[in-house]
């Protein structure tokens, strides 16, 4: 058994490990762990600790994928809901659809008994408004929110404030490879923005026969390249884990226009190998790893790649 996650997964990583040891399905174990991350205010990229959109509203994204069946559940831009990874799992289990967004996702949450949560952390609200005061004129502040938001997208949107989607990847006791993701997205994003976290093939993908991958940081890039699917497909075509990731990085480096920044790739193959690579990230990236040969989870350094 294996569990791999980004550095911000610390509030729930050990819980997922214990559930995997107890024989739980990988998605069940990871959703339980990621739910702890979503409730932790010290994690400023996910759940209650995350940052709001331009209007000061929280919108959450999440996805789950069962690599054995290749079933997927996904939700995007969900309001008033902290356990969004659990909600994505319910989409997979209960509906013929893969993805629900916005008010439709919230309606589904209510129908199946999810509570309506207070999602805007007071400190996030304070910092959000201070940024608006810095960027807007007194006249614009007086009219807010009835102003054009698009002109602000290059100045107020702050991908640097948020460093990580939370991604969990596992190989469970049955040998299944699975992925779970959750994020609050970029700080001050345009309302309705989705990154790669809820997009199968971009931010996450799993196929138990070959491998699994998940990405963090600049989702706009991995959506353009289908990065997670590229890695798994390359392994299906006979490439090693290292070769598959190198191919995905080459595709990302070919992008010359649009918003370009850092990307972190987390990946497993069906043989039990793993690799975490950071592309163009100024900070040193770390991740969590556990397998049955380790007495405790280890906090390790990713392999940096500077183009």
């Amino acid at each position: 058994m294996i569990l791999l996650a980004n550095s911000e997964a610390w509030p729930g990583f050990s819980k997922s490990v214990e559930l995997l040891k107890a024989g739980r399905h990988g998605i069940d174990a990871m959703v339980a762990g990621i739910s702890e991350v979503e409730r932790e205010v010290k994690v400023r990229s996910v759940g209650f600790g995350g940052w709001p959109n331009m209007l000061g509203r929280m919108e959450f994204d999440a996805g789950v994928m069962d690599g054995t069946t290749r079933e997927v559940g996904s939700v995007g831009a969900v309001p008033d809901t902290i356990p969004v990874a659990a909600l994505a799992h319910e989409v997979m289990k209960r509906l013929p659809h893969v993805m629900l967004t916005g008010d439709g996702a919230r309606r589904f949450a209510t129908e199946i008994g999810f509570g309506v949560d207070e999602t805007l952390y007071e400190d996030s609200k304070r910092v959000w408004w201070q940024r608006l005061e810095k960027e807007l004129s007194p006249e614009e502040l007086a009219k807010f929110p009835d102003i054009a938001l698009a002109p602000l997208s290059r100045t107020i949107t702050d991908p640097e404030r948020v460093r990580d989607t939370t991604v969990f990847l596992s190989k469970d006791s049955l040998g299944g490879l699975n992925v779970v993701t959750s994020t609050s997205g970029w700080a001050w994003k345009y309302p309705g923005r989705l990154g790669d976290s809820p997009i199968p093939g971009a931010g996450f993908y799993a196929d138990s026969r070959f491998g699994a991958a998940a990405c963090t940081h600049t989702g706009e890039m991995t959506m353009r390249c289908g990065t997670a699917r590229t890695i798994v497909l390359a392994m299906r075509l006979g490439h090693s884990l290292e070769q598959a990731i190198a191919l995905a990085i080459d595709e990302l480096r070919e992008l010359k226009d649009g918003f370009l920044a850092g990307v972190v790739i987390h990946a497993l193959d069906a043989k039990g190998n793993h690799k975490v690579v950071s592309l163009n990230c100024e900070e040193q990236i770390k991740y969590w790893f556990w397998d049955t040969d380790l007495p405790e989870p280890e906090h390790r350094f990713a392999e940096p790649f500077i183009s």
Side-chain angles (χ1 to χ4, degrees):
M1 293 181 289
I2 298 171
L3 185 65
L4 174 67
N6 67 305
S7 190
E8 299 301 313
W10 58 267
F13 192 84
S14 292
K15 183 171 187 176
S16 292
V17 167
E18 292 306 312
L19 291 172
L20 286 172
K21 288 180 178 179
R24 294 284 294 276
H25 188 279
I27 292 180
D28 292 333
M30 292 188 293
V31 167
I34 216 166
S35 294
E36 298 294 323
V37 183
E38 291 166 337
R39 288 190 287 267
E40 176 54 67
V41 298
K42 294 178 183 178
V43 178
R44 302 312 307 266
S45 57
V46 177
F48 190 52
W51 300 97
N53 66 19
M54 286 187 189
L55 296 176
R57 298 170 185 162
M58 299 300 297
E59 293 179 319
F60 302 109
D61 311 327
V64 305
M65 185 165 186
D66 184 323
T68 301
T69 64
R70 280 176 283 168
E71 290 181 287
V72 174
S74 176
V75 293
V78 185
D80 305 324
T81 311
I82 297 295
V84 284
L87 183 62
H89 195 197
E90 294 299 326
V91 170
M92 187 187 84
K93 292 189 293 184
R94 296 174 183 251
L95 296 178
H97 310 309
V98 164
M99 179 184 289
L100 295 179
T101 62
D103 291 340
R106 181 55 247 184
R107 178 189 176 101
F108 174 66
T110 300
E111 287 183 7
I112 63 174
F114 280 51
V116 175
D117 298 318
E118 175 56 54
T119 58
L120 183 58
Y121 182 39
E122 190 61 34
D123 183 64
S124 300
K125 181 179 180 180
R126 175 186 61 80
V127 176
W128 160 75
W129 186 251
Q130 287 178 344
R131 183 63 183 271
L132 282 182
E133 290 178 319
K134 176 182 176 182
E135 297 290 341
L136 301 180
S137 69
E139 293 76 18
E140 289 172 322
L141 282 171
K143 295 178 181 178
F144 187 83
D146 298 322
I147 63 171
L149 299 179
L152 294 173
S153 63
R154 294 286 180 179
T155 59
I156 195 171
T157 299
D158 190 358
E160 298 307 310
R161 184 172 292 277
V162 173
R163 284 303 186 189
D164 270 324
T165 294
T166 292
V167 296
F168 279 55
L169 303 85
S170 70
K171 183 175 184 178
D172 62 22
S173 61
L174 298 177
L177 299 180
N178 307 283
V179 183
V180 177
T181 72
S182 180
T183 189
S184 55
W186 284 7
W188 298 281
K189 61 191 174 184
Y190 197 96
R193 178 261 183 186
L194 297 181
D196 64 337
S197 301
I199 308 299
F204 66 100
Y205 198 82
D207 186 326
S208 298
R209 300 169 296 176
F210 308 107
C215 306
T216 70
H217 286 53
T218 312
E220 276 67 12
M221 294 172 64
T222 57
M223 284 191 285
R224 292 165 68 186
C225 293
T227 300
R229 173 64 171 150
T230 290
I231 293 166
V232 177
L233 179 59
M235 288 190 282
R236 177 172 186 159
L237 295 176
H239 294 281
S240 68
L241 177 63
E242 291 76 11
Q243 291 169 334
I245 292 175
L247 174 61
I249 288 176
D250 284 344
E251 288 188 332
L252 291 167
R253 293 174 66 206
E254 289 169 357
L255 299 176
K256 303 301 180 185
D257 302 302
F259 187 91
L260 305 176
V263 172
V264 182
I265 293 169
H266 306 71
L268 300 171
D269 68 18
K271 299 176 183 178
N273 301 305
H274 82 281
K275 196 173 184 67
V276 180
V277 177
S278 65
L279 171 66
N280 292 339
C281 294
E282 294 180 3
E283 76 280 17
Q284 195 168 39
I285 300 298
K286 299 185 76 174
Y287 67 95
W288 289 100
F289 179 78
W290 171 84
D291 66 15
T292 48
D293 293 330
L294 295 174
E296 299 291 338
E298 293 185 352
H299 205 196
R300 299 181 175 182
F301 289 101
E303 178 183 322
F305 190 99
I306 307 297
S307 64

